[in-house]
Amino acid sequence: MKAFRLDELEAERAANDGAYLQFVRERNMSVGLYALDAGALDPQQPHEQDEVYLVVSGRASITVGVETTQVGRGSVVYVPAGTAHRFHHITEDLRVMVVFSPPEG
């Protein structure tokens, strides 16, 4: 078993000066914590993997393909592999758990 605390993951991510911290990598999936501060621009490009986002905190809009929706704490968004997507209009610091399948990279 692997168990994690979000506050510890956030501290590790911040200490490494990165927007993304991968904390699980297995044969069929990887999981990470993604952070974008209010007003930030999301530089993501389409990924080769399917993704599921779980918004842990914050508020923003996300566009996946041609569809846009607002997200906040508790929102879950599925992004098919190869689909353009981006968070935008980030009004509160955004923290998102990301599950990739198969693993990213």
Side-chain angles (χ1 to χ4, degrees):
M1 178 176 88
K2 296 179 182 181
F4 304 92
R5 290 179 41 106
L6 284 173
D7 58 342
E8 292 171 356
L9 294 171
E10 174 61 12
E12 183 179 348
R13 185 207 55 78
N16 289 314
D17 293 326
Y20 184 72
L21 171 71
Q22 180 177 279
F23 60 93
V24 172
R25 183 175 183 84
E26 297 295 336
R27 183 171 47 90
N28 294 316
M29 62 177 275
S30 61
V31 183
L33 182 64
Y34 189 42
L36 292 166
D37 291 336
L41 298 176
D42 183 1
Q44 291 192 82
Q45 298 295 317
H47 303 284
E48 296 177 10
Q49 306 82 4
D50 287 337
E51 295 176 76
V52 173
Y53 290 114
L54 168 62
V55 178
V56 175
S57 63
R59 292 186 119 11
S61 294
I62 186 171
T63 298
V64 178
V66 297
E67 296 181 88
T68 299
T69 191
Q70 293 184 353
V71 294
R73 182 175 180 228
S75 296
V76 178
V77 178
Y78 167 68
V79 179
T83 303
H85 60 286
R86 186 171 319 277
F87 290 99
H88 52 93
H89 296 99
I90 303 167
T91 58
E92 295 176 14
D93 292 352
L94 193 62
R95 299 301 181 262
V96 182
M97 189 172 306
V98 186
V99 179
F100 288 98
S101 181
E104 182 189 32

